[in-house]
Amino acid sequence: MEVVATAKWVRTTARKARLVSAMVTGLPVAEALVILQYSPRSAAADIAKVIKSAAANAEHNYNLDASSLRVARVEVDGAMIIKRWRAKPRGMAGSIFKRTSHLRAFVTDDEAPGNVRRRKAAKMPRAVVPAPVVSPAAATTPAAGGTAPAAKPRPARRRAPKPPTEEAE
């Protein structure tokens, strides 16, 4: 069963929101929300809100299990454009278009068909080995009971001998 939620007059461009909606189509709701949470795009927060609302609608209105829901699709339509202007040189005006969009999220509890993509499980490193921390005190302290190597003495500078002066004779 498909359950829908809409958000109207969202202050993001439809083109940018469509890029974000393509990332989560076909994924389970929980995975989609995690991806949207860490997405750098600002439209991700608006799309996450609509998906959460659709999942809440499915759970509350139709008694569907939230863990079995997946994002069927997210439709993004362009809406009204708020038009403003900014002064330009030579008495002209530059247009500023503040675009809005309508978001519609569909979640379903049906099994995903074979052609819908599934995310691979992320491979985690087996063990994380911490890097050794070297502090100034540890650098001078002998390690494991041995003696610290003595600092090598610097060779003295060699200067050319002064030529003898006639007055000294």
Side-chain angles (χ1 to χ4, degrees), residues 2-165:
E2 268 191 354
V3 182
V4 65
T6 59
K8 290 188 165 193
W9 315 110
V10 177
R11 263 295 275 121
T12 187
T13 65
R15 186 174 180 178
K16 292 176 182 179
R18 284 186 192 113
L19 291 172
V20 176
S21 69
M23 290 192 313
V24 296
T25 301
L27 295 178
V29 170
E31 278 187 42
L33 292 175
V34 169
I35 288 173
L36 292 172
Q37 180 182 0
Y38 292 105
S39 174
R41 298 186 175 270
S42 61
D46 298 323
I47 290 181
K49 255 189 201 180
V50 178
I51 291 174
K52 282 181 193 175
S53 177
N57 289 347
E59 195 173 359
H60 184 264
N61 298 342
Y62 300 100
N63 296 325
L64 298 179
D65 184 24
S67 62
S68 67
L69 295 175
R70 67 176 180 83
V71 179
R73 65 188 183 278
V74 179
E75 294 178 356
V76 182
D77 299 325
M80 180 183 71
I81 300 173
I82 304 167
K83 295 179 181 175
R84 298 288 182 258
W85 63 273
R86 175 168 290 154
K88 295 285 183 178
R90 295 176 21 200
M92 294 188 195
S95 300
I96 298 174
F97 296 130
K98 298 186 176 189
R99 299 180 187 274
T100 60
S101 57
H102 299 317
L103 308 176
R104 193 174 306 115
F106 294 86
V107 296
T108 183
D109 63 340
D110 300 335
E111 288 297 318
N115 61 354
V116 173
R117 73 182 180 109
R118 291 192 176 120
R119 292 189 59 81
K120 295 178 183 176
K123 290 186 179 180
M124 300 298 288
R126 291 186 183 181
V128 178
V129 180
V133 178
V134 178
S135 64
T140 58
T141 306
T147 60
K152 216 173 176 183
R154 295 182 66 179
R157 285 189 182 176
R158 294 191 149 187
R159 294 185 181 180
K162 291 184 178 179
T165 60

